[in-house]
PDB file of all heavy atoms in Angstrom:
ATOM      1  N   VAL A 399       9.586  10.493  14.042  1.00 81.00           N
ATOM      2  CA  VAL A 399       8.630  11.402  14.565  1.00 81.00           C
ATOM      3  C   VAL A 399       8.267  11.217  16.016  1.00 81.00           C
ATOM      4  O   VAL A 399       8.165  12.256  16.727  1.00 81.00           O
ATOM      5  CB  VAL A 399       7.234  11.224  13.692  1.00 81.00           C
ATOM      6  CG1 VAL A 399       6.136  12.103  14.198  1.00 81.00           C
ATOM      7  CG2 VAL A 399       7.438  11.492  12.193  1.00 81.00           C
ATOM      8  N   GLY A 400       8.180  10.012  16.502  1.00 81.00           N
ATOM      9  CA  GLY A 400       7.980   9.849  17.876  1.00 81.00           C
ATOM     10  C   GLY A 400       9.041  10.353  18.822  1.00 81.00           C
ATOM     11  O   GLY A 400       8.707  11.025  19.900  1.00 81.00           O
ATOM     12  N   TRP A 401      10.303  10.013  18.480  1.00 86.00           N
ATOM     13  CA  TRP A 401      11.426  10.608  19.194  1.00 86.00           C
ATOM     14  C   TRP A 401      11.483  12.045  19.130  1.00 86.00           C
ATOM     15  O   TRP A 401      11.668  12.783  20.111  1.00 86.00           O
ATOM     16  CB  TRP A 401      12.734   9.952  18.562  1.00 86.00           C
ATOM     17  CG  TRP A 401      13.941  10.454  19.288  1.00 86.00           C
ATOM     18  CD1 TRP A 401      14.472   9.992  20.430  1.00 86.00           C
ATOM     19  CD2 TRP A 401      14.813  11.398  18.876  1.00 86.00           C
ATOM     20  NE1 TRP A 401      15.571  10.782  20.846  1.00 86.00           N
ATOM     21  CE2 TRP A 401      15.793  11.721  19.841  1.00 86.00           C
ATOM     22  CE3 TRP A 401      14.853  12.304  17.637  1.00 86.00           C
ATOM     23  CZ2 TRP A 401      16.856  12.563  19.613  1.00 86.00           C
ATOM     24  CZ3 TRP A 401      15.887  13.232  17.518  1.00 86.00           C
ATOM     25  CH2 TRP A 401      16.893  13.388  18.552  1.00 86.00           C
ATOM     26  N   LEU A 402      11.157  12.704  18.009  1.00 86.00           N
ATOM     27  CA  LEU A 402      11.130  14.143  17.973  1.00 86.00           C
ATOM     28  C   LEU A 402      10.075  14.776  18.655  1.00 86.00           C
ATOM     29  O   LEU A 402      10.159  15.790  19.379  1.00 86.00           O
ATOM     30  CB  LEU A 402      11.055  14.607  16.434  1.00 86.00           C
ATOM     31  CG  LEU A 402      12.368  14.359  15.583  1.00 86.00           C
ATOM     32  CD1 LEU A 402      12.109  14.592  14.144  1.00 86.00           C
ATOM     33  CD2 LEU A 402      13.521  15.269  16.100  1.00 86.00           C
ATOM     34  N   LYS A 403       8.862  13.958  18.683  1.00 82.00           N
ATOM     35  CA  LYS A 403       7.801  14.558  19.518  1.00 82.00           C
ATOM     36  C   LYS A 403       8.150  14.495  21.039  1.00 82.00           C
ATOM     37  O   LYS A 403       7.847  15.500  21.683  1.00 82.00           O
ATOM     38  CB  LYS A 403       6.420  13.694  19.192  1.00 82.00           C
ATOM     39  CG  LYS A 403       5.210  14.456  19.900  1.00 82.00           C
ATOM     40  CD  LYS A 403       3.980  13.682  19.479  1.00 82.00           C
ATOM     41  CE  LYS A 403       2.724  14.388  19.977  1.00 82.00           C
ATOM     42  NZ  LYS A 403       2.649  14.454  21.408  1.00 82.00           N
ATOM     43  N   ASP A 404       8.744  13.422  21.492  1.00 85.00           N
ATOM     44  CA  ASP A 404       9.226  13.376  22.984  1.00 85.00           C
ATOM     45  C   ASP A 404      10.071  14.449  23.167  1.00 85.00           C
ATOM     46  O   ASP A 404      10.131  15.192  24.247  1.00 85.00           O
ATOM     47  CB  ASP A 404       9.802  12.015  23.233  1.00 85.00           C
ATOM     48  CG  ASP A 404       8.804  11.084  23.614  1.00 85.00           C
ATOM     49  OD1 ASP A 404       7.699  11.423  24.026  1.00 85.00           O
ATOM     50  OD2 ASP A 404       9.043   9.811  23.601  1.00 85.00           O
ATOM     51  N   ALA A 405      11.095  14.760  22.284  1.00 87.00           N
ATOM     52  CA  ALA A 405      12.169  15.768  22.441  1.00 87.00           C
ATOM     53  C   ALA A 405      11.752  17.190  22.273  1.00 87.00           C
ATOM     54  O   ALA A 405      12.215  18.009  23.045  1.00 87.00           O
ATOM     55  CB  ALA A 405      13.275  15.490  21.389  1.00 87.00           C
ATOM     56  N   THR A 406      10.709  17.469  21.483  1.00 86.00           N
ATOM     57  CA  THR A 406      10.288  18.878  21.239  1.00 86.00           C
ATOM     58  C   THR A 406       8.793  19.129  21.672  1.00 86.00           C
ATOM     59  O   THR A 406       8.337  20.287  21.654  1.00 86.00           O
ATOM     60  CB  THR A 406      10.380  19.234  19.764  1.00 86.00           C
ATOM     61  OG1 THR A 406       9.444  18.343  19.024  1.00 86.00           O
ATOM     62  CG2 THR A 406      11.761  18.882  19.231  1.00 86.00           C
ATOM     63  N   GLN A 407       8.130  18.026  22.112  1.00 83.00           N
ATOM     64  CA  GLN A 407       6.717  18.311  22.537  1.00 83.00           C
ATOM     65  C   GLN A 407       5.795  18.786  21.369  1.00 83.00           C
ATOM     66  O   GLN A 407       4.832  19.327  21.541  1.00 83.00           O
ATOM     67  CB  GLN A 407       6.485  19.136  23.687  1.00 83.00           C
ATOM     68  CG  GLN A 407       7.402  18.750  24.987  1.00 83.00           C
ATOM     69  CD  GLN A 407       7.019  17.233  25.461  1.00 83.00           C
ATOM     70  OE1 GLN A 407       5.835  16.915  25.570  1.00 83.00           O
ATOM     71  NE2 GLN A 407       8.114  16.529  25.475  1.00 83.00           N
ATOM     72  N   SER A 408       6.189  18.310  20.141  1.00 79.00           N
ATOM     73  CA  SER A 408       5.499  18.794  19.050  1.00 79.00           C
ATOM     74  C   SER A 408       5.813  17.808  17.846  1.00 79.00           C
ATOM     75  O   SER A 408       6.956  17.187  17.775  1.00 79.00           O
ATOM     76  CB  SER A 408       5.789  20.138  18.461  1.00 79.00           C
ATOM     77  OG  SER A 408       5.228  20.584  17.259  1.00 79.00           O
ATOM     78  N   THR A 409       4.802  17.565  16.919  1.00 76.00           N
ATOM     79  CA  THR A 409       5.008  16.768  15.758  1.00 76.00           C
ATOM     80  C   THR A 409       5.619  17.556  14.599  1.00 76.00           C
ATOM     81  O   THR A 409       6.009  16.920  13.523  1.00 76.00           O
ATOM     82  CB  THR A 409       3.776  16.054  15.261  1.00 76.00           C
ATOM     83  OG1 THR A 409       2.752  17.107  14.971  1.00 76.00           O
ATOM     84  CG2 THR A 409       3.231  15.013  16.266  1.00 76.00           C
ATOM     85  N   ASN A 410       5.883  18.834  14.764  1.00 83.00           N
ATOM     86  CA  ASN A 410       6.267  19.716  13.673  1.00 83.00           C
ATOM     87  C   ASN A 410       7.755  19.259  13.131  1.00 83.00           C
ATOM     88  O   ASN A 410       7.819  19.372  11.879  1.00 83.00           O
ATOM     89  CB  ASN A 410       6.253  21.170  13.963  1.00 83.00           C
ATOM     90  CG  ASN A 410       4.852  21.717  14.171  1.00 83.00           C
ATOM     91  OD1 ASN A 410       3.857  21.129  13.885  1.00 83.00           O
ATOM     92  ND2 ASN A 410       4.798  23.007  14.639  1.00 83.00           N
ATOM     93  N   ALA A 411       8.609  19.085  13.966  1.00 86.00           N
ATOM     94  CA  ALA A 411       9.964  18.688  13.556  1.00 86.00           C
ATOM     95  C   ALA A 411       9.919  17.517  12.589  1.00 86.00           C
ATOM     96  O   ALA A 411      10.632  17.438  11.601  1.00 86.00           O
ATOM     97  CB  ALA A 411      10.883  18.613  14.672  1.00 86.00           C
ATOM     98  N   GLY A 412       9.123  16.600  12.987  1.00 85.00           N
ATOM     99  CA  GLY A 412       9.036  15.347  12.192  1.00 85.00           C
ATOM    100  C   GLY A 412       8.370  15.707  10.846  1.00 85.00           C
ATOM    101  O   GLY A 412       8.844  15.121   9.725  1.00 85.00           O
ATOM    102  N   MET A 413       7.355  16.519  10.857  1.00 86.00           N
ATOM    103  CA  MET A 413       6.675  16.897   9.544  1.00 86.00           C
ATOM    104  C   MET A 413       7.827  17.551   8.638  1.00 86.00           C
ATOM    105  O   MET A 413       7.840  17.359   7.354  1.00 86.00           O
ATOM    106  CB  MET A 413       5.541  17.862   9.698  1.00 86.00           C
ATOM    107  CG  MET A 413       4.411  17.222  10.491  1.00 86.00           C
ATOM    108  SD  MET A 413       3.770  15.633   9.738  1.00 86.00           S
ATOM    109  CE  MET A 413       4.438  14.413  10.871  1.00 86.00           C
ATOM    110  N   TYR A 414       8.630  18.418   9.029  1.00 91.00           N
ATOM    111  CA  TYR A 414       9.748  18.988   8.220  1.00 91.00           C
ATOM    112  C   TYR A 414      10.581  17.924   7.630  1.00 91.00           C
ATOM    113  O   TYR A 414      10.817  18.037   6.370  1.00 91.00           O
ATOM    114  CB  TYR A 414      10.685  19.863   9.065  1.00 91.00           C
ATOM    115  CG  TYR A 414       9.958  21.045   9.809  1.00 91.00           C
ATOM    116  CD1 TYR A 414      10.347  21.464  11.042  1.00 91.00           C
ATOM    117  CD2 TYR A 414       8.844  21.721   9.175  1.00 91.00           C
ATOM    118  CE1 TYR A 414       9.651  22.505  11.689  1.00 91.00           C
ATOM    119  CE2 TYR A 414       8.189  22.804   9.826  1.00 91.00           C
ATOM    120  CZ  TYR A 414       8.646  23.162  11.059  1.00 91.00           C
ATOM    121  OH  TYR A 414       8.047  24.200  11.731  1.00 91.00           O
ATOM    122  N   VAL A 415      11.043  16.844   8.361  1.00 90.00           N
ATOM    123  CA  VAL A 415      11.880  15.800   7.837  1.00 90.00           C
ATOM    124  C   VAL A 415      11.108  15.148   6.728  1.00 90.00           C
ATOM    125  O   VAL A 415      11.612  14.739   5.664  1.00 90.00           O
ATOM    126  CB  VAL A 415      12.236  14.840   9.056  1.00 90.00           C
ATOM    127  CG1 VAL A 415      12.869  13.549   8.362  1.00 90.00           C
ATOM    128  CG2 VAL A 415      13.099  15.535  10.120  1.00 90.00           C
ATOM    129  N   LEU A 416       9.820  14.734   6.937  1.00 91.00           N
ATOM    130  CA  LEU A 416       9.116  14.102   6.027  1.00 91.00           C
ATOM    131  C   LEU A 416       8.817  14.974   4.614  1.00 91.00           C
ATOM    132  O   LEU A 416       8.865  14.360   3.589  1.00 91.00           O
ATOM    133  CB  LEU A 416       7.677  13.750   6.555  1.00 91.00           C
ATOM    134  CG  LEU A 416       7.637  12.925   7.857  1.00 91.00           C
ATOM    135  CD1 LEU A 416       6.204  12.639   8.164  1.00 91.00           C
ATOM    136  CD2 LEU A 416       8.443  11.638   7.590  1.00 91.00           C
ATOM    137  N   ALA A 417       8.679  16.288   4.858  1.00 92.00           N
ATOM    138  CA  ALA A 417       8.543  17.106   3.609  1.00 92.00           C
ATOM    139  C   ALA A 417       9.780  17.162   2.863  1.00 92.00           C
ATOM    140  O   ALA A 417       9.710  17.036   1.593  1.00 92.00           O
ATOM    141  CB  ALA A 417       8.223  18.506   4.149  1.00 92.00           C
TER     142      ALA A 417
END
Side-chain angles (χ1 to χ4, degrees):
V399 174
W401 179 77
L402 288 171
K403 188 173 188 299
D404 273 341
T406 65
Q407 304 305 308
S408 170
T409 57
N410 287 356
M413 295 304 105
Y414 299 147
V415 173
L416 304 184

